[in-house]
Amino acid sequence: VFDKYDDVAPSLGGGFNLNGGAATLREMGLWNELLAVCNPMERVHSRTISGVTLFDISIPKILPKDLVFDGTPCAFTVMRSDLTRLLADHLPQGVVQVGSEVTGVKETAEGISAVYADGSLSEEFDLLVGCDGIRSV
């Protein structure tokens, strides 16, 4: 995992809803850690600018039973930085390389490498996945 920032979880971005992904984190054994950094999402209420309700949904009522664990509906809001830190903390030492801005990729017959901002290359991989957002390399 290459991250251009010097900290694996800078206070960038905001919060978001985590639903099915939360079930995956539970399967990975990260349920208690997830509960410590997120907020349960109990309701989605949407209104017009004048205050007229468009919809009002009770999350526990609409979730299938297989997405409720120990009475907790698997629907949360979480800050991006908190989730990133949680995930990084559970990776083996050295897997996350901070201060490694990826600006491109280089493909060869043997694999694919990340190209760093300074022009150097990462090791070669069989697969390289970019998760760097809307301005993805």
Side-chain angles (χ1 to χ4, degrees):
V1 176
F2 308 115
D3 199 316
K4 70 179 178 179
Y5 298 104
D6 292 328
D7 179 14
V8 74
S11 296
L12 299 174
F16 60 94
N17 297 340
L18 183 65
N19 305 313
T24 301
L25 292 172
R26 182 180 184 277
E27 291 296 318
M28 294 170 59
L30 301 177
W31 185 247
N32 290 332
E33 290 91 339
L34 177 64
L35 293 177
V37 299
C38 68
N39 295 302
M41 188 168 57
E42 298 175 7
R43 177 179 177 204
V44 178
H45 185 191
S46 178
R47 294 180 290 235
T48 65
I49 195 165
S50 62
V52 176
T53 295
L54 297 172
F55 57 86
D56 191 356
I57 301 169
S58 168
I59 299 300
K61 287 183 181 178
I62 66 166
L63 276 183
K65 298 295 182 214
D66 63 338
L67 287 178
V68 178
F69 304 107
D70 301 320
T72 301
C74 194
F76 305 101
T77 59
V78 63
M79 296 301 293
R80 182 177 308 278
S81 58
D82 291 338
L83 181 60
T84 301
R85 171 80 55 209
L86 184 153
L87 293 171
D89 286 350
H90 286 83
L91 290 173
Q93 185 72 19
V95 169
V96 178
Q97 298 178 32
V98 296
S100 301
E101 182 177 1
V102 176
T103 58
V105 297
K106 181 178 180 184
E107 291 185 73
T108 67
E110 290 79 35
I112 187 166
S113 297
V115 179
Y116 298 121
D118 67 3
S120 64
L121 300 174
S122 71
E123 63 186 284
E124 283 193 339
F125 303 98
D126 294 327
L127 175 69
L128 186 61
V129 179
C131 301
D132 47 343
I134 195 166
R135 293 177 186 85
S136 180
V137 174

